[in-house]
Amino acid sequence: DQQVKQNSPSLSVQEGRISILNCDYTNSMFDYFLWYKKYPAEGPTFLISISSIKDKNEDGRFTVFLNKSAKHLSLHIVPSQPGDSAVYFCAAREGNAGKSTFGDGTTLTVKP
Amino acid sequence: GAVVSQHPSWVICKSGTSVKIECRSLDFQATTMFWYRQFPKQSLMLMATSNEGSKATYEQGVEKDKFLINHASLTLSTLTVTSAHPEDSSFYICSARWGYEQFFGPGTRLTVL
């Protein structure tokens, strides 16, 4: 049973527009959520995170929203830039010492 | 931010040989490191959790005797793929925990001929 799901394998957005990447989870014990960006043949790079005590966290062009009742989180990128084109993974963790469980990733393509 | 390095970045070996991959946290001490494997167009698959000074905790389905993990110091963990076979060819990524965050290395591309 996959505990973290990213149902959209790919997303294409025009430069300047908003990119919205979605992630759903099933384990109600998850209390910390992270988004990573990954380029081919490179390791993931941490983007932004959110604790379960919050429903929104913003860092520059990136905002993560958490809806605990729906077990859903989303990453908003606005405005989108061609350099944002990459694979985005969401991850969830139970407690500070817990291991992170990753979704399958969403490939974002931002067209100039 | 915290930096995690991996060495080598790529390696090609013959079937039956063993390959060692190093993972280092360069500017912080990591009591916990993770080893992942990624197949093409797939997610990161956690292989094992490595704790400094103790035995690694392997995920279900990962062969302990094939993927040897050693976390000898707070800045170094190694993954040794023993008696490698072509099906072991993959992209191996390590990660080190620092506080609440998890920082990833650049990955190692292993190709077994």
Side-chain angles (χ1 to χ4, degrees), chain B residues 22-69:
Chain B
E22 292 186 350
C23 176
R24 294 181 185 273
S25 55
L26 297 185
D27 48 2
F28 66 100
Q29 292 182 329
T31 55
T32 303
M33 290 185 173
F34 304 90
W35 286 96
Y36 294 84
R37 182 175 179 178
Q38 186 183 27
F39 295 98
K41 299 184 179 180
Q42 292 188 26
S43 185
L44 302 169
M45 184 193 80
L46 179 65
M47 299 174 66
T49 302
S50 169
N51 294 299
E52 188 266 338
S54 64
K55 291 183 178 180
T57 302
Y58 289 82
E59 295 300 302
Q60 190 174 8
V62 178
E63 298 177 62
K64 302 178 183 181
D65 295 331
K66 181 161 188 64
F67 299 100
L68 301 178
I69 292 173

Side-chain angles (χ1 to χ4, degrees), chain B residues 38-107:
Chain B
Q38 186 183 27
F39 295 98
K41 299 184 179 180
Q42 292 188 26
S43 185
L44 302 169
M45 184 193 80
L46 179 65
M47 299 174 66
T49 302
S50 169
N51 294 299
E52 188 266 338
S54 64
K55 291 183 178 180
T57 302
Y58 289 82
E59 295 300 302
Q60 190 174 8
V62 178
E63 298 177 62
K64 302 178 183 181
D65 295 331
K66 181 161 188 64
F67 299 100
L68 301 178
I69 292 173
N70 184 285
H71 194 156
S73 76
L74 289 171
T75 59
L76 173 65
S77 176
T78 60
L79 167 67
T80 301
V81 183
T82 62
S83 188
H85 287 97
E87 57 264 31
D88 299 325
S89 298
S90 191
F91 192 57
Y92 293 87
I93 308 173
C94 76
S95 173
R97 171 172 290 152
W98 185 42
Y100 280 96
E101 309 305 339
Q102 198 173 327
F103 297 91
F104 287 82

Side-chain angles (χ1 to χ4, degrees), chain A residues 8-80:
Chain A
S8 298
S10 62
L11 174 68
S12 183
V13 172
Q14 203 68 32
E15 181 179 8
R17 298 288 186 95
I18 184 171
S19 294
I20 300 177
L21 298 106
N22 294 301
C23 180
D24 297 292
Y25 62 95
T26 57
N27 188 344
S28 58
M29 298 301 292
F30 287 144
D31 59 3
Y32 199 71
F33 305 89
L34 310 96
W35 282 95
Y36 290 87
K37 177 181 180 180
K38 185 182 182 300
Y39 293 112
E42 292 185 13
T45 303
F46 170 75
L47 265 181
I48 192 169
S49 63
I50 188 167
S51 166
S52 60
I53 62 173
K54 296 184 176 181
D55 55 18
K56 177 183 175 181
N57 188 26
E58 188 173 355
D59 183 4
R61 297 186 297 116
F62 302 92
T63 303
V64 55
F65 295 91
L66 175 63
N67 183 333
K68 282 186 293 183
S69 60
K71 294 190 178 66
H72 176 84
L73 65 154
S74 60
L75 174 68
H76 293 211
I77 306 173
V78 56
S80 301

